[in-house]
């Protein structure tokens, strides 16, 4: 992914390379330049047993990440798009080693071949999935678990320890409720080294939403109400761009549903209604050998794949009028899980702003390079820091990230149509699309639309009753339209 912004950041990296010279940090600068050409890095983080691996599998649409506690769950694992199937260990010294792996029904099983988890920086799993085209998904060890080393590894990776910088561009943070430690994580992840820190690169997920209220059929309704309360809370809006309830287990199961599982569910659906209701009262009742004709192991497998809520929901689908096929059950599970909404948010919030988010990450890392260079090359450190700060001050794309957050969080008073305008103007796309015009609109219509919107937002910014943050948002939006006006005023051959 290239573009004017990333080309400018690449030139800034070139300046950094010249100033760093033969210092050991030259390798870090080279890695940052490579990072600009990679897909956006999105980490999935949260406490132990928050459902991180299950959510990753649901997003990819395949059971790749192991969900049971094991050796590989203590290691940061990257899932990237590849032409074939591969697993590679990246050691702490940067060396790489191919790993043997096998595909099981529940996950990829990777053999470490004698490598100690502590010797690995991370594992890279390459997989030919189109869902990994624009995003590299990164599964991280759980926070606040019994394994302090794994938790510390996640914190270092996300740049939350030792004044480090994050190796990711954005994060999906899973939580059961907004505990103090969850708020602390999101606040720490927020990038404060740039002016106007913004949580635009963080999305919170209310995970395991199907377990709300002991897995009743209205569990997801309750979870959506809880998520909505969080979204309306100013304190939460200051920490993440949105909160989405997700039932990761039924999303993963729906995406990977097997016909034999649906056949087992059909057997339960054929039971008399009263008997079926008794069966679904609790996990213990469901597992009682005398409660249904299904073998005990089959029932345990269904609980493992669906959970009690998922079984109740699937049986409701199967007893409906037109939904007795496996594809219908699969669609219903995925549709109810919330994972499609999360996918839309990832496309809109992250993929649609990938260039700005990647540039932001690299600029922050270059600031860290300047800081680390200070002891050995103080003059070079000062020059690099000045170059980075000048870039930061003139990068309007960073201001647009700020605008996006102000509009999305409700920190400024914009109606739904104006928020949609901010969404359209600040994303990537052709000028006509960003101006809200049809693809065949003439250049004169583009210029006139841009001119009108500049005047509108400038006038609103200067109104004496306009609050400071709203005036800031209006100024940023006006500058975005000025950029579009300049782009449309140029000839087609001159546009970038």
């Amino acid at each position: 992914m290239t573009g004017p912004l990333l080309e400018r950041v690449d030139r800034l990296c070139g300046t950094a390379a010249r100033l760093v010279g033969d210092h050991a940090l030259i390798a870090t600068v080279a890695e940052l330049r490579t990072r600009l050409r990679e897909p956006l890095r999105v980490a999935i983080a949260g406490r132990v047993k928050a459902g991180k691996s299950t959510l990753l599998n649901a997003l990819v649409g395949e059971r790749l990440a192991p969900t049971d506690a094991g050796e590989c769950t203590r290691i940061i694992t990257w899932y990237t798009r590849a032409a074939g199937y591969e697993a590679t260990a990246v050691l702490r010294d940067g060396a790489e080693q191919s790993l043997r792996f096998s595909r099981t029904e529940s996950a990829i099983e990777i053999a470490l071949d004698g490598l100690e988890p502590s010797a690995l920086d991370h594992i890279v799993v390459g997989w030919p999935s189109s869902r990994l085209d624009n995003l590299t998904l990164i599964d991280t060890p759980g926070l606040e678990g019994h394994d302090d080393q794994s938790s510390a590894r996640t914190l270092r990776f996300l740049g939350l320890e030792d004044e480090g910088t994050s190796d990711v561009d954005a994060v999906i943070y899973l939580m059961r409720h907004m505990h103090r430690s969850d708020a602390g994580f999101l606040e720490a992840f927020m990038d404060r080294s740039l002016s106007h820190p913004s949580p635009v690169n963080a999305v919170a997920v209310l995970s395991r939403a199907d377990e709300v209220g002991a897995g009743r059929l209205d569990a997801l309704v309750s979870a959506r109400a809880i998520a909505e309360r969080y979204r309306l809370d100013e304190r939460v809006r200051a920490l993440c761009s949105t909160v989405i309830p997700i039932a990761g287990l039924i999303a993963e199961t729906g995406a990977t549903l097997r016909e034999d599982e649906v056949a087992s569910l059909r057997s339960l659906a054929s039971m008399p209604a009263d008997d079926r209701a008794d069966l679904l009262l609790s996990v213990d009742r469901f597992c009682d050998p005398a409660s249904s004709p299904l073998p005990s192991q089959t029932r345990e497998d269904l609980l493992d794949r669906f959970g009690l809520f998922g079984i109740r929901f699937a049986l409701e689908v199967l007893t409906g009028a037109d939904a007795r096929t496996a594809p219908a059950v699969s669609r219903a599970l995925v549709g109810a899980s919330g994972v499609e909404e999360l996918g839309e948010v990832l496309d809109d919030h992250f993929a649609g702003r990938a260039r700005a988010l990647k540039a932001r990450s690299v600029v922050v890392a270059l600031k860290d390079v300047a800081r680390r260079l200070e002891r050995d090359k103080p003059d070079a450190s000062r020059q690099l820091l000045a170059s980075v700060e000048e870039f930061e001050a003139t990068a309007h794309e960073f201001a647009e990230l700020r605008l996006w957050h102000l509009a999305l969080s409700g920190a400024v008073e914009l109606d739904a149509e104006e928020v949609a305008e901010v969404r359209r103007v600040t994303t990537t796309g052709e000028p006509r699309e960003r101006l809200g015009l049809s693809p065949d609109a003439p250049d004169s219509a583009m210029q006139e639309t841009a001119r009108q919107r500049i005047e509108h937002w400038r006038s609103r910014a200067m109104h004496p009753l306009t609050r400071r943050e709203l005036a800031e948002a209006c100024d940023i939006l006006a500058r975005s339209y000025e950029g579009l006006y300049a782009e449309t005023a140029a000839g087609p051959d001159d546009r970038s």
Side-chain angles (χ1 to χ4, degrees):
M1 182 184 292
T2 60
L5 175 62
L6 296 186
E7 290 170 3
R8 282 156 38 214
V9 178
D10 186 70
R11 289 195 294 271
L12 183 62
C13 288
T15 299
R18 177 178 56 79
L19 293 170
V20 168
D22 58 358
H23 193 279
L25 287 169
I26 192 66
T28 300
V29 176
E31 290 171 4
L32 293 175
R33 297 188 87 164
T34 300
R35 182 170 173 177
L36 290 172
R37 297 187 289 273
E38 295 176 349
L40 196 73
R41 299 176 181 178
V42 179
I44 301 177
R47 297 184 187 186
V48 172
K49 293 295 181 182
K52 300 180 297 297
S53 300
T54 301
L55 178 59
L56 187 146
N57 292 338
L59 289 171
V60 178
E62 297 187 59
R63 301 183 80 185
L64 302 182
T67 56
D68 295 329
E71 201 171 36
C72 286
T73 61
R74 303 200 304 271
I75 303 170
I76 295 167
T77 306
W78 301 34
Y79 293 85
T80 67
R81 168 78 173 191
Y85 305 91
E86 56 194 32
T88 305
V90 180
L91 307 183
R92 291 198 174 278
D93 62 3
E96 297 184 359
Q97 180 176 324
S98 295
L99 298 174
R100 294 181 297 109
F101 67 92
S102 59
R103 179 77 182 274
T104 69
E105 194 174 85
S106 60
I108 297 171
E109 290 187 355
I110 299 174
L112 295 184
D113 295 329
L115 291 172
E116 289 294 327
S118 59
L120 274 63
D121 185 79
H122 63 276
I123 291 174
V124 178
V125 174
W127 211 256
S129 170
S130 60
R131 301 192 186 188
L132 296 171
D133 281 345
N134 299 317
L135 300 175
T136 292
L137 294 175
I138 303 173
D139 197 8
T140 63
L143 301 168
E144 298 186 352
H146 298 300
D147 186 349
D148 291 339
Q149 289 186 344
S150 297
S151 180
R153 188 177 298 126
T154 296
L155 291 174
R156 284 194 302 272
F157 177 70
L158 297 175
L160 305 183
E161 278 193 349
D162 303 326
E163 297 184 353
T165 57
S166 176
D167 286 331
V168 301
D169 305 308
V171 67
I172 303 169
Y173 183 74
L174 278 65
M175 60 186 187
R176 302 295 296 276
H177 298 284
M178 181 65 83
H179 294 285
R180 182 177 300 176
S181 59
D182 298 316
F185 170 88
L186 289 168
E187 185 172 11
F189 182 76
M190 191 188 303
D191 175 21
R192 296 185 179 278
S193 59
L194 291 172
S195 59
H196 299 307
S198 171
V200 73
N201 56 344
V203 166
V205 163
L206 190 64
S207 67
R208 302 176 76 155
D210 50 320
E211 297 178 11
V212 173
R216 298 191 310 265
L217 270 175
D218 63 351
L220 298 183
V221 176
S222 299
R224 282 192 286 271
I226 294 170
E228 181 63 18
R229 286 202 298 272
Y230 282 139
R231 283 194 289 264
L232 295 175
D233 189 320
E234 291 183 2
R235 296 166 297 178
V236 177
R237 290 203 308 256
L239 298 173
C240 58
S241 55
T242 190
V243 181
I244 301 172
I246 297 288
L249 182 60
I250 66 169
E252 179 194 58
T253 300
T256 59
L257 190 63
R258 303 192 309 270
E259 182 60 51
D260 65 294
E261 294 171 329
V262 178
S264 296
L265 291 170
R266 287 195 192 100
S267 175
L268 299 179
S270 66
M271 295 173 62
D274 290 345
D275 293 344
R276 190 170 65 245
D278 288 341
L279 174 70
L280 299 175
L281 282 175
S282 68
V283 170
D284 289 341
R285 185 71 63 88
F286 187 79
C287 291
D288 185 345
S291 63
S292 83
L294 292 179
S296 296
Q297 186 59 54
T298 300
R299 279 175 281 160
E300 290 178 12
D301 291 343
L302 288 176
L303 278 172
D304 181 61
R305 285 277 280 155
F306 291 80
L308 192 57
F309 169 86
I311 294 171
R312 289 168 174 162
F313 183 86
L315 291 178
E316 284 288 311
V317 174
L318 285 170
T319 53
D322 303 312
R324 295 188 58 83
T325 66
V329 176
S330 172
R331 288 192 298 271
L333 289 169
V334 172
S337 70
V339 74
E340 292 177 334
E341 180 185 356
L342 178 59
E344 292 172 359
V345 167
L346 297 184
D347 287 342
D348 190 19
H349 287 40
F350 292 166
R353 289 161 180 79
R355 294 172 184 169
L357 291 173
K358 285 198 294 182
R360 185 183 176 103
S361 298
V362 171
V363 168
V364 171
L366 287 175
K367 271 191 170 182
D368 184 62
V369 168
R371 179 182 60 80
R372 293 162 62 189
L373 194 64
E374 185 175 9
R375 187 183 65 178
D376 299 327
K377 292 188 171 186
D379 289 341
S381 172
R382 285 192 293 271
Q383 291 180 54
L384 177 55
L385 185 59
S387 296
V388 172
E389 290 179 343
E390 180 183 2
F391 180 92
E392 176 190 322
T394 58
H396 180 63
E397 293 85 352
F398 293 170
E400 287 186 330
L401 288 179
R402 165 74 171 168
L403 169 62
W404 172 243
H405 167 60
L406 290 173
L408 201 67
S409 67
V412 295
E413 297 175 0
L414 299 174
D415 60 32
E417 187 175 336
E418 290 169 334
V419 171
E421 181 178 359
V422 170
R423 183 191 304 268
R424 185 183 68 244
V425 173
T426 61
T427 192
T428 56
E430 295 298 319
R432 287 176 177 81
E433 178 184 354
R434 295 173 63 195
L435 288 165
L437 300 174
S438 63
D440 57 352
D443 287 1
S444 58
M446 291 194 292
Q447 293 170 36
E448 179 60 20
T449 299
R451 186 190 63 78
Q452 290 177 359
R453 301 316 292 165
I454 292 168
E455 292 179 356
H456 170 80
W457 290 110
R458 285 292 181 208
S459 174
R460 189 164 177 182
M462 292 185 292
H463 194 282
L465 296 181
T466 298
R467 296 172 57 188
R468 180 181 59 81
E469 284 191 327
L470 179 56
E472 177 191 359
C474 293
D475 280 334
I476 295 171
L477 195 50
R479 289 201 302 274
S480 295
Y481 277 114
E482 287 171 356
L484 283 170
Y485 182 87
E487 191 171 351
T488 58
D493 295 338
D494 298 326
R495 291 176 193 160
S496 55

